[in-house]
Amino acid sequence: MENNFTMETYSQDQDFHIDMKGTFDGASAFALIEEIDRRIGDKNNSVYVETTNISKVYSFGQSILASNIPKTVRKSICFCGAMAGQIAPKGCAIEDSPLKQGCHKCTGDCKNCPCSQSDKRNSQA
């Protein structure tokens, strides 16, 4: 894993959010797989993966992710942000704009919520 990759995680109700930052490579993919496995398991939870702060995506990172995320849980995973289409395995939801428009109904209460930040910027304009 490149030393610039980090994941910040938090829960909201039964949903789990992962905010990734840095370069997405093979080791980053394994770290994400482990986190998703821990959070979804046999539960009926949804996982939202924010990719806006990913600076680069290596194709082998995406390949590792696609090979190791079971198809049966992909419907519970939503990738959002600028790099969502480059990272998300087939079968996962993809939204290239903030979560507010697609993956789930945003309340603006999420830690580091991109929707509330966007709303603040729009109201100042």
Side-chain angles (χ1 to χ4, degrees):
M1 179 171 12
E2 289 196 17
N3 60 6
N4 70 347
F5 180 80
T6 61
M7 288 190 301
E8 184 175 320
T9 60
Y10 55 95
S11 297
Q12 181 183 10
D13 300 322
Q14 289 187 359
D15 298 335
F16 189 74
H17 298 257
I18 302 171
D19 185 9
M20 301 188 303
K21 295 178 174 101
T23 302
F24 190 80
D25 60 11
S28 305
F30 281 118
L32 180 59
I33 291 162
E34 182 179 317
E35 197 64 48
I36 289 171
D37 284 346
R38 285 186 19 208
R39 302 304 174 171
I40 289 186
D42 294 329
K43 304 172 197 129
N44 193 20
N45 297 344
S46 295
V47 174
Y48 300 95
V49 182
E50 179 60 54
T51 67
T52 299
N53 295 312
I54 293 293
S55 57
K56 185 173 185 176
V57 176
Y58 287 99
S59 59
F60 62 89
Q62 196 284 331
S63 296
I64 289 169
L65 187 64
S67 298
N68 288 280
I69 296 290
K71 291 180 181 177
T72 56
V73 300
R74 292 182 184 190
K75 66 183 181 295
S76 300
I77 305 169
C78 180
F79 286 81
C80 302
M83 300 294 197
Q86 294 180 43
I87 296 174
K90 184 177 180 182
C92 293
I94 298 174
E95 180 61 45
D96 62 0
S97 57
L99 293 174
K100 187 175 191 176
Q101 280 90 32
C103 294
H104 76 281
K105 183 176 177 169
C106 180
T107 62
D109 296 333
C110 302
K111 185 177 180 183
N112 300 323
C113 179
C115 304
S116 63
Q117 292 169 5
S118 175
D119 289 347
K120 287 177 190 172
R121 277 185 247 128
N122 291 339
S123 66
Q124 292 173 355

